[in-house]
Amino acid sequence: MNKSTKIIVEIVLLLACIGIVYLIYSSIMQPVRFNKQKAYRESVAVQRLKDIRTLEVAYKSTTGKYTDNIDSLLNFYSNGKMEVMLQVGSADDSLAVANTEQLKKKGATIEDLKARYFAGEKNLVFSTRSEIAVKDTIFHNREDFIPDSLRYIPFSGKKPVVLKAVVKPVSGVEVPLFEADVPYDILLKGLDKQLIINAKADCRDKNRYEGLQVGSIDSPNNNAGNWE
């Protein structure tokens, strides 16, 4: 073998070694990259499911049942009202407590106390039920909250979240139930197909939904998420 041929062979071997090292590195890093992206997408989807749960619970507190219609849920958020308990004054304010008790002994009702409070008398302590706009109660301090985003599975090109609601007998009692699903096939679309298959198989092995899910229409679970 002459010198030129030897140099060519050495270069070819070097390039082959570099290629093998790259393939080994890539095969090691592929699951790492997948898990990092999976965790990120799941974190966004979990927050969305938590927000849906919050609205569903508020919706039920007003209507007595859950809804499987996302338009109804978003309309409830934008235009609905809910009853809340408001605390006026502080129970730690002994002077306000004493003043309020004296007024009650004289026959003052909650409506009387409210009238006095709104007339400017602040030395009072009482609780009262009041209707307040849903959007002024829920998520009102979330500057990043976009109601319409609750419709869609993140990173899916606007594929809808699977929303279900039923009323079914549980131990002889009719119980409202709801469920919101984000399947891995949609949430993780575009990532490594085999690793998605593996993630779904891991869920099956654990007898879990193949994706993220909050609530259950099969049996009461206190509206828990399967990530909790």
Side-chain angles (χ1 to χ4, degrees), residues 25-45:
Y25 174 80
S26 181
S27 66
I28 293 172
M29 291 304 297
Q30 191 169 15
V32 174
R33 287 191 293 265
F34 174 85
N35 288 333
K36 183 177 181 179
Q37 183 62 214
K38 175 174 175 285
Y40 171 63
R41 294 190 184 192
E42 284 181 331
S43 68
V44 178

Side-chain angles (χ1 to χ4, degrees), residues 106-228:
K106 294 177 181 179
T109 65
I110 291 297
E111 291 304 315
D112 295 329
L113 296 175
K114 286 170 65 177
R116 285 173 172 269
Y117 179 80
F118 288 115
E121 186 175 343
K122 304 302 182 183
N123 193 28
L124 298 168
V125 177
F126 61 93
S127 297
T128 180
R129 291 188 177 277
S130 180
E131 275 198 337
I132 188 169
V134 174
K135 63 183 178 182
D136 291 336
T137 308
I138 300 176
F139 310 134
H140 64 281
N141 59 349
R142 287 259 305 275
E143 294 182 0
D144 63 337
F145 180 68
I146 303 173
D148 201 57
S149 68
L150 298 186
R151 298 177 181 276
Y152 307 117
I153 295 172
F155 313 102
S156 71
K158 293 193 172 182
K159 294 287 175 45
V161 171
V162 183
L163 190 60
K164 306 173 187 176
V166 299
V167 177
K168 65 189 301 183
V170 178
S171 301
V173 178
E174 294 292 312
V175 178
L177 301 170
F178 97 95
E179 174 181 307
D181 301 334
V182 172
Y184 275 154
D185 279 334
I186 298 177
L187 179 65
L188 303 181
K189 187 175 180 179
L191 302 183
D192 186 273
K193 292 181 179 180
Q194 183 57 55
L195 293 177
I196 295 174
I197 291 172
N198 295 348
K200 291 166 58 180
D202 183 58
C203 290
R204 289 195 299 273
D205 291 342
K206 295 175 180 177
N207 197 30
R208 279 182 44 185
Y209 173 73
E210 294 177 17
L212 298 173
Q213 181 182 79
V214 65
S216 172
I217 61 169
D218 296 323
S219 59
N221 70 348
N222 200 31
N223 297 331
N226 67 350
W227 63 88
E228 295 174 318

